[in-house]
Amino acid sequence: QVQLVESGGGLAQPGGSLRLSCAASGINFRIGAAAWYRQAPGKQRELVAVITSGGSTNYVDSVKGQFTINRDIAKNTVYLQMNSLKPEDAAVYYCNALGGSKSYWGQGTQVTVSS
């Protein structure tokens, strides 16, 4: 059974930083891609960052240079380092992992950016 557990969300001030974590069980990030999505109220879920099984990364234009996705293979955990946070970054952030032909989701973690 695949389980993705996100943590690290919370309240940050504009310009602040947060690091999200996605700990996986039942799936191996070494052989499957992982990604972070976000969904703000009233908006569609959007892809924020992806890391392939080979370690290549890609980002939506709006977070390039601001967010960094990386992983710890030994811990089977994927991270999203978010710097210089803006109010428009506020959303529920979801971890996604690909395993074979299936896609798995975490429960989401809330990120609030406010002074």
Side-chain angles (χ1 to χ4, degrees):
Q1 182 179 356
V2 175
Q3 190 172 19
L4 304 176
V5 179
E6 298 113 331
S7 60
L11 174 64
Q13 292 187 339
S17 298
L18 286 173
R19 188 178 78 155
L20 306 182
S21 300
C22 173
S25 59
I27 196 168
N28 192 328
F29 287 135
R30 188 196 305 270
I31 59 176
W36 286 96
Y37 287 73
R38 65 185 178 187
Q39 188 167 19
K43 294 188 177 181
Q44 289 188 329
R45 190 172 297 190
E46 68 167 345
L47 176 63
V48 174
V50 62
I51 184 165
T52 69
S53 58
S56 298
T57 59
N58 207 353
Y59 302 88
V60 66
D61 285 346
S62 59
V63 306
K64 285 181 179 177
Q66 183 189 357
F67 290 4
T68 302
I69 186 171
N70 58 19
R71 64 186 181 181
D72 185 327
I73 293 295
K75 295 181 179 180
N76 211 26
T77 299
V78 172
Y79 303 96
L80 185 68
Q81 177 67 44
M82 305 186 296
N83 298 327
S84 303
L85 284 164
K86 309 167 188 174
E88 52 263 41
D89 295 317
V92 178
Y93 283 71
Y94 296 91
C95 178
N96 173 265
L98 298 179
S101 61
K102 296 184 178 181
S103 179
Y104 302 93
W105 294 91
Q107 81 286 355
T109 185
Q110 178 73 50
V111 171
T112 303
V113 183
S114 175
S115 55

